[in-house]
Structures are given as C-alpha cells and as structure tokens.
Amino acid sequence: MTDVDNQRALELGSNIKLIGREDINDLEAILSISNTDVHAVAHEVRSTYDTLFTWDYEKGARPRLTRLYEKAKTAQWNGETDLPWDTPVDQEAVVVANAMNQGGLNAGMDLSGTPFARWGDKEWIEFGVESQNWTLSQFLHGEQGALLCTARIVETVPWIDAKYYAATQVMDEARHVEVFAKYLDTKLSGHYPINAHLRTLLDDIIADERWDMTYLGMQIMVEGLALAAFGFIHMLTTEPLLKQLLQYVMADEARHVAFGVLSLQDWYQQLGAAEIRERQEFAFEAAVRMRDRFLQQEVFDRMGLPVKDSIELVLQAPDRVAFQALLFSKIVPNCKKLGLLDAGDGWLRTKFTELGCIQFEDMPDTAEEVLAYGP
Ligand SMILES: [Fe+2]
Ligand SMILES: [Fe+2]
C-alpha cells in the first residue's frame, strides 16, 4: 500500500488500526506478540473513570435484572466444600482418556515430514499435559480479569439494580479464581503466565473509561467465549472433578453473560451511529484477540518445537475450524440481540463472516436462555 492508502485505511477503522495487521490470519504477525515480563508478580493498568453514586434506590425499574439478582443470591456455592476435592486425578491417564474420545493422541493425522514426525506416545502425552496446564492457567487469568472488571462495574454502572447484581458476580468470580487456582495447584503439574493476546485484551477493557465498554469486553465477549469453551471441555473431559467444577462455573457464567445482554440492550438503543460503530469495532478486536490466544503458542515454545510450523499444522487438524467457530457460538447471537450485528452498514456481520462464525446468529441469546426457567 502507498502512504496515502495506508493513511486512509487507518482513518476507516481498518484491520491495521484495530488489530495491528491487515490479514486476520497473518500468523507471523500473531506470533510476533508474545509474553514479556513473565516473572513479574504484579501487572499495573492505568485507568481514569467516574465512580457513580445513585440516590435512586427504587427497586423494580429493570425487573429482568432484579430476577437475575434473585437467582444469583440462591445459586451461590462454596468452592471449598461443594466440590469433591478428594477425587484422585492422574493427569497423564486423563490426557490419554480424553484423546481416545477425539481420535487418538495425534488425532489420526499423517505427520510425516512435520515437526511431530518423531513423536511417540511419551511426547504426545507430555504435550497433552502441557496443553491442559496452559488451558486451565488461561482460564484462571481470565477469571481474575472478570473479578476486576465486575468490581469496576459496581462502581461505574448508573443503576442500583445493576450494582446489586454486579456485587453477586464479584463473589462468583472470586470463587472461580479460587477453584481454578486450587485445581491447578493440587491436580495439575504447572502454571503458565497469561497469554500475550489475552493480556492485551484485558488491558484494553480495563483501560477504557466508558462503563458500557467494560460490559461489552467482559460480559459479552470474554465471558461469552468462556461459556462456550467451558461447555466444550465439560463435554470432552473424562475427569469427574473438573466436570463438576465446570458445571458449577458454567451456571454462574450464563448469568454473567445474561447480565451483560440485559444491561446493554436498552443502553445501545439510545446511542448514535458513531458510538455504535465504536462498540462494533471493540467487539471485533476482542474476538480476534481471543481467537489468537487459542493458538497456545507458549506450549509449543515450552515443548521446544518451531512455533509457527507447529501451529500451521494444528490449524489443519480435522475439526479445528469447527472448534474455532464454536467458541463464538454464544457471542454472535448475543451481539445480534444487542443490535450490534446489523447496525450501520452491517459492519460487524461482515467481520464475523470473515472470522467464520456468523452461522450462530440465530441461536438463542443467553438472557433468553437464563430467564427461560425458574422464578
Ligand atoms: Fe467466572
Ligand atoms: Fe463470569
């Protein structure tokens, strides 16, 4: 591109401006973002925002939020006492059992001439163990992101019923951080630092001063993806403690995503076209960051494999495209419900089509799912 083209592209909210690369699938660019300061114990994100008091304590202005709040109060559980922590977990045996559910340790692929050609069962099991350590570590870091974002929402959202609900979610997220940390420490065999793409996304969400962007980034995008990913692992895993842990966490997460949909629905209706476009762009950027994080580049690095070659191969695995799309199965209908998919010129619809996940648009949205049963 010429300088003039480049400038124009930047002004139009192009891929370069939003995600730092023109081609969504540019693997080189994706892998150029990697972990830094992996040994630091703290990570600081600066942000300026308004903390809002409300003097309107009247309950009932948003009855669906009130219902959600009542559900949350009775759905609390105790991570220490409600889970069977005495279940023995043989991580290698779990890796083998899970793999047998998915076509064997190497998913039945022909790997001759690839970095994996010389691998035997020992290496595949080690890879499965690392992969599980990595996956649960990223869930743990994401849960902390949810804890911090929701604590922020208590301060910034203008309505009392949303502050009440958010307070229950803060407790939920503390419990989620606690149980994932305990599972990693007592049942698995190592932690990974936060993936660079996930950290970029969480930093962007936290740095934004607008209260509804915290919701969009966390409740709609990060938690929408988490709900789908937890569901996928819950379905696949043969390990009973993790299965039960995920079942509890997913019941909470569904409420959290519903909280996002119920809070943003009315709010977006009174935003102007330019403001909606900013939200569409934010949703797209978050979607790409989350897809990039699932390449688990740090695992290949730790296994001493050429990262780019290995990932190129993984992307060709049977079902990989379907898996990547499935991660967005909650996000797409929820964005549609919020009016983000088709607002303006349908910009986000085009982007989700490019990402290969538009096929989920007519699935039920999460608010509808959560409020369909119970009081
Ligand atoms: Fe959570
Ligand atoms: Fe959550």
Side-chain angles (χ1 to χ4, degrees), residues 176-193:
H176 298 176
V177 176
E178 180 198 348
V179 295
F180 278 117
K182 182 164 178 167
Y183 192 83
L184 272 154
D185 285 341
T186 63
K187 306 297 179 186
L188 302 187
S189 52
H191 282 249
Y192 274 78

Side-chain angles (χ1 to χ4, degrees), residues 12 38 163 199 248 359:
L12 285 175
V38 291
K163 287 182 189 290
R199 191 171 86 170
Y248 276 129
Q359 63 272 31

